[in-house]
Amino acid sequence: MRRPILAFLTDFGTRDPYVGAMKGAALSVCPEATLVDLGHEVPPHDVLAGALHLAATYRYFPPDTVFVAVIDPGVGTARRAIAAQVGDYCFVAPDN
């Protein structure tokens, strides 16, 4: 069985602890996961830019990859997450 792959796309930037905290949380739940950075410099809160980035990259990953996209103009709110299985891939994001 192949190790699970989690691919992360955010608007967090790389000068703060958020990307590392997100990866640490993922590894706490699934220590055998392979973590991949799609990018963390999406313009803040630009959902369309994030969607285009994801659309340009997801197809190059193996089936069953889970994509976690956090581009959230409502950061800090009680926004729920959504998950969608599309073909061979799973996408998780804030419900925005």
Side-chain angles (χ1 to χ4, degrees):
M1 183 171 179
R2 185 174 64 223
R3 292 171 47 164
I5 299 171
L6 295 173
F8 295 103
L9 176 66
T10 75
D11 62 354
F12 293 166
T14 55
R15 295 181 181 215
D16 53 45
Y18 303 119
V19 171
M22 183 174 62
K23 287 179 170 184
L27 290 170
S28 292
V29 173
C30 186
E32 67 277 8
T34 297
L35 306 181
V36 178
D37 295 307
L38 293 178
H40 300 292
E41 301 290 340
V42 172
H45 315 296
D46 192 340
V47 175
L48 179 58
L52 294 172
H53 190 124
L54 195 55
T57 57
Y58 83 91
R59 65 181 62 93
Y60 298 104
F61 283 80
D64 300 321
T65 297
V66 176
F67 295 89
V68 180
V70 184
I71 314 298
D72 191 3
V75 69
T77 64
R79 186 180 318 280
R80 296 180 307 175
I82 59 172
Q85 183 76 37
V86 181
D88 293 330
Y89 303 104
C90 181
F91 299 88
V92 180
D95 186 4
N96 57 11

